[in-house]
Structures are given as C-alpha cells and as structure tokens.
Amino acid sequence: MDSKKGKAKYIFIVLFVLILASVFWTYASFSLLGPKDLGVRYTHEDYVSALKKTGIQVEYEGLTGEALEEYKEQNKRTGEKKSIHDYNFEFSEYERKEFTLTNEEATALLNELAPGFWWFDNLQVKVLPDGTMEGSSTADIKRLKADLYSDVADDVPLPLPDKMNIYSKGKISITNNKLSGDPETFNVGAVSLPDRYLEEDSVNTMEEYFPRIYTVVPGLEITSLTSNSEGKFVFDGIIPQKVSVTAK
C-alpha cells in the first residue's frame, strides 16, 4: 500500500513539474526568450549596401558616419531606448527611389537605421521562394502604445506585457501607403493566434493601424513594396534622403 502511495505521489510531482514547466515556457516565450530565428544574418556591409540603395543619410545630435555608428554601438550595450516625442525629426530632400533589398540588407536597415527609436528588437525579415514573407522580432509594446497607439491603447481588453515576441508569415504588400495582408500564421510567443483573428475583419483592423509605423515619416510615399522571384524585397516610392534628429 505504501509503495503504491509513494508511486502515486511521485507521478503527481512529475506531472506538476511538467505542467509548471509548460506554463513557464509559454510565459517565457512571450518576452523572456528571444524571438523565432529565421536564419537571417547580416553584416555591417549589408547595412552600408542598404543605405547606398536608399540614399538615406542620418544625423543624430550632430553625429554622422562612423561617429554615429560608434554611438549606436554604445547605446546598444546600455539598451537605452528613446521616445519619438522627446526629439525633433527633420526630413528633407525627398527623392523617388526604386531598389531591391536582400533579406540581409532589409533586416540590417530595419535594425540599424535608428535602433534607439525603433520599436522592434532582434528583427528579421525574409522572403520565401513563393513570395511569402516572414517577420520575427521582440515588439516593445509599452513604447508602441506610448508613441503610436495612445489613442487606442485603453481599448485592448487584456493586459499586455511590456515586450512580446511576435512571428508572422503570409502574403504582404504595400500599395500607395496602404497595407494589404493575407496572413497564414501569427504567433505571440509560442502561442498561435486562433484562426478567427486571421479572418477578414481582424486583418482589416491590422491593416488600418499597422501603417502608423511607417507613415510616422511625413511625406513618405510607398508606391509599391512587394517581393520578386529572386527572394528580394522590391521598393518603389518617395523617401527622404536626409534625416536630422535633435533633442527637444
């Protein structure tokens, strides 16, 4: 009898530990662990190549070129993030640009152009052979709500963590600054968003609010952002060639 009780107790403890580990893993996957790895690795040369194609030149508090790159590296080590509301942004010398970016160049540009202000860490973007796009990152939910979505932040029915790992896959394009998407998958941490949230009404809501991330740049006109058969991002639009950032 005692041996049976001991065995039952052992099984209960094992099950409890497994359940606890599963709950922790799910919770940790939201923000404690890194986002899904898409296998995209970029170098400084990829970033330089992307800048050359776009023509964008950034000046931050008088810093440009190598001095700015050194400052950005120091800032990465401290992990300091800034609010767009605390700075003045001057965009000028707009030009029409047509170019293609590899997965590495696009990922480098998004991560390195303004990391102190960007709302997504460890971001990777990728075009698959069939033209489907993937994206993975840790989203800074707290700063996104403060910087871009303060008017609707209180409408979210559930409390959200300050940071969340997100992954998406599907057909995505932008035409005349309007986002169009046909998502196959959208994960928050290790949890897949139920299919009902990927239906037309929910997708239309995402298409309405997501563009705030890129239309925060005044005068930016994305005529077309798609992918080609070579697995590259294809851009056509009007973008600023100079960006000057100063503290208010």
Side-chain angles (χ1 to χ4, degrees):
M1 186 73 174
D2 290 340
S3 62
K4 288 183 178 180
K5 287 183 178 180
K7 187 175 182 180
K9 183 178 180 181
Y10 173 76
I11 293 174
F12 172 78
I13 292 174
V14 171
L15 287 174
F16 177 76
V17 170
L18 289 174
I19 292 171
L20 189 63
S22 177
V23 171
F24 173 78
W25 171 258
T26 301
Y27 170 75
S29 71
F30 277 83
S31 59
L32 299 182
L33 303 176
K36 182 175 180 178
D37 186 3
L38 305 185
V40 180
R41 303 286 183 269
Y42 68 85
T43 64
H44 181 67
E45 286 69 28
D46 291 315
Y47 176 55
V48 172
S49 175
L51 283 182
K52 184 176 180 180
K53 290 180 178 180
T54 62
I56 299 174
Q57 299 177 36
V58 179
E59 178 182 314
Y60 173 78
E61 295 284 30
L63 298 175
T64 60
E66 291 301 319
L68 178 56
E69 294 306 309
E70 290 178 10
Y71 171 81
K72 284 160 53 178
E73 287 302 316
Q74 293 174 0
N75 194 64
K76 285 181 186 178
R77 288 192 286 270
T78 64
E80 181 186 0
K81 293 289 187 177
K82 302 173 177 61
S83 170
I84 60 174
H85 300 303
D86 296 330
Y87 288 80
N88 296 310
F89 292 80
E90 182 181 342
F91 303 91
S92 61
E93 299 186 19
Y94 284 76
E95 288 186 14
R96 179 71 174 269
K97 291 286 183 175
E98 296 181 41
F99 54 81
T100 62
L101 296 175
T102 66
N103 296 328
E104 293 77 15
E105 289 171 335
T107 297
L109 188 66
L110 291 170
N111 282 290
E112 301 295 336
L113 189 61
F117 296 96
W118 191 224
W119 303 281
F120 304 92
D121 292 320
N122 302 314
L123 185 145
Q124 297 180 49
V125 290
K126 187 176 184 178
V127 177
L128 300 178
D130 64 352
T132 299
M133 297 183 187
E134 285 184 301
S136 176
S137 69
T138 299
D140 194 328
I141 302 300
K142 182 178 180 179
R143 290 176 57 246
L144 277 168
K145 289 193 294 184
D147 288 352
L148 298 181
Y149 300 103
S150 59
D151 59 323
V152 294
D154 294 338
D155 296 335
V156 179
L158 297 174
L160 297 176
D162 289 344
K163 293 188 177 183
M164 292 173 58
N165 292 324
I166 56 175
Y167 164 77
S168 62
K169 177 183 178 183
K171 299 285 187 179
I172 300 172
S173 64
I174 300 176
T175 303
N176 296 325
N177 277 5
K178 180 176 174 55
L179 176 73
S180 296
D182 183 13
E184 296 178 18
T185 305
F186 195 101
N187 290 358
V188 179
V191 180
S192 295
L193 215 60
D195 289 343
R196 66 178 180 274
Y197 292 113
L198 300 179
E199 294 175 354
E200 185 175 357
D201 287 345
S202 297
V203 172
N204 288 342
T205 300
M206 287 190 285
E207 290 176 353
E208 178 183 354
Y209 288 103
F210 185 85
R212 292 189 185 187
I213 293 171
Y214 52 85
T215 56
V216 71
V217 178
L220 174 69
E221 295 182 19
I222 303 178
T223 304
S224 175
L225 178 62
T226 57
S227 61
N228 63 18
S229 59
E230 297 176 357
K232 295 180 180 181
F233 294 91
V234 182
F235 179 91
D236 176 12
I238 298 174
I239 57 178
Q241 296 297 277
K242 289 192 176 181
V243 182
S244 178
V245 185
T246 54
K248 290 184 176 178

